[in-house]
Amino acid sequence: METIKHMRVARATTSSRIAMTFGIMVIVALVAMPWWATSGNIRWAIELCCYIAIAQMWNLLAGYAGLVSVGQQAFIGVAGYLLFVLAQNFGVNPFVAVFLSVIAPAVLAVPTYLLLRRLDGPYFAIGTWVVAEAVRLATSNIDYVNAGAGMTLRVMTQYSQHEREVAFVLLCAVLLLATIGGSYWLLRSRHGLALTAMRDNPVAAASQGVNVGRLRFCIFVAAAVGTGLAGAIYYMAQLRITPGAGFDPFWASMSIFIVMVGGIGSIEGAIIGALIYFFADRLFGEFGSAYLIVLGLLTLVIALYARGGVWGLLQKLGDNPWFPVRRKLIVEDRA
């Protein structure tokens, strides 16, 4: 009997199916938190979701587009301030204003990229920091937003604590689906192949027809929007924003730590890194500057000896992706 070779392309794996099931369970548990968790645990969940989203956007920006930014706090700050202005000064429903707030980072990202696109490497990174500082200083001198005193979201008092908690967990679920799910969808598309090629070698990618400049511009704007949405939700939960907090360079350093430790250039790495940072902050944050020095040294060690981060080390034990973006050709023998 003649054996026929049958070939098929597989994109899902056993590990990805398990991860998908677990992810759905996490989303369901997150949405149900107001009915089973304490207010403190809900605040922690909101914070962790924002960390994951911001790190995921920075990972997409640096890990695939090759644009290392240390000024992502600019988009967090302008989105947060637009949310407060729309809700507090114009009477827009705050849960609607949180989605309208992404207009600000999108508008800011366009001229920022056009201004910095000719810079490369550390010069681009410094340029993003300069833009963030310029926006922070400008905000600190605008009386309409109370200058350096900041703004308080007093309109939230018209909602009960339970209503706010339900709204926040729903917003966090949308945030995770938009940032993680959106990144996964993008990387599985034909644009994802172009991004991977651009990450590995921009010159070779351009020679094969990839419009590197346009793709980087789109990723820069998309990362700004995702980062801004996370920032708006974060400060909406805090009920207050100031220039020092909204445009704090901490956001950039946190993103770098999370992605470098978790694993740059992978969706899984940003999630693992965010979990490591979040729980390390809860356990050792009370040690202050000593704790920050340890985080910095850990980032340095990872950069020198394990450039793939924790996720890269796990992959050496076996190729079990949670979010497979590669296609595998499987050859089967059929009689």
Side-chain angles (χ1 to χ4, degrees), residues 5 10-11 27 30 69 89 97 129 137 142 167 196 209 223 226 251 253 256 259 268 310 324:
K5 297 288 185 180
R11 304 195 68 174
I27 293 294
L30 175 64
S69 170
N89 296 359
W129 176 78
L137 291 172
I142 298 176
T196 304
W251 290 112
S253 58
I256 294 171
V259 175
E268 299 89 346
V310 174

Side-chain angles (χ1 to χ4, degrees), residues 61 67 69 71-72 74-76 78 102-117 124 128 131 135 216-228:
L61 190 65
L67 299 172
S69 170
Q72 293 302 95
F75 307 118
I76 292 174
V78 295
V102 300
I103 296 173
V107 170
L108 177 61
V110 174
T112 299
Y113 181 81
L114 295 178
L115 178 66
L116 304 178
R117 62 190 175 91
F124 181 88
T128 58
V131 169
V135 177
R216 280 180 170 172
F217 170 74
C218 293
I219 293 300
F220 188 82
V221 174
V225 169
T227 301

Side-chain angles (χ1 to χ4, degrees), residues 227-244:
T227 301
L229 178 60
I233 294 173
Y234 181 86
Y235 285 106
M236 185 181 182
Q238 298 295 318
L239 302 178
R240 180 164 176 78
I241 188 171
T242 62

Side-chain angles (χ1 to χ4, degrees), residues 11-133:
R11 304 195 68 174
T13 63
T14 301
S15 58
S16 70
R17 294 187 183 96
I18 295 173
M20 184 67 68
T21 303
F22 183 73
I24 293 172
M25 293 170 60
V26 168
I27 293 294
V28 172
L30 175 64
V31 172
M33 281 191 78
W35 290 275
W36 64 267
T38 64
S39 296
N41 289 334
I42 292 174
R43 286 195 297 271
W44 282 13
I46 294 170
E47 187 175 344
L48 177 59
C49 289
C50 291
Y51 286 170
I52 292 174
I54 293 172
Q56 198 64 254
M57 293 296 94
W58 194 89
N59 178 56
L60 190 65
L61 190 65
Y64 287 91
L67 299 172
V68 178
S69 170
V70 293
Q72 293 302 95
Q73 62 269 21
F75 307 118
I76 292 174
V78 295
Y81 265 98
L82 182 57
L83 163 67
F84 277 62
V85 168
L86 290 174
Q88 194 63 43
N89 296 359
F90 289 92
V92 179
N93 185 303
F95 302 113
V96 175
V98 72
F99 293 104
L100 296 177
S101 67
V102 300
I103 296 173
V107 170
L108 177 61
V110 174
T112 299
Y113 181 81
L114 295 178
L115 178 66
L116 304 178
R117 62 190 175 91
R118 294 187 181 276
L119 301 179
D120 195 15
Y123 300 102
F124 181 88
I126 293 172
T128 58
W129 176 78
V130 170
V131 169
E133 283 298 293

Side-chain angles (χ1 to χ4, degrees), residues 81 139-152 154 240 243:
Y81 265 98
T139 306
S140 301
N141 289 279
I142 298 176
D143 292 333
Y144 184 72
V145 294
N146 295 331
M151 300 182 69
T152 302
R154 294 186 297 273
R240 180 164 176 78

Side-chain angles (χ1 to χ4, degrees), residues 13 15-16 19 268 311 315 318-326 328:
T13 63
S15 58
S16 70
E268 299 89 346
W311 177 247
Q315 284 299 91
D319 186 15
N320 299 302
W322 301 346
F323 299 92
V325 296
R326 294 175 298 174
K328 290 185 177 181

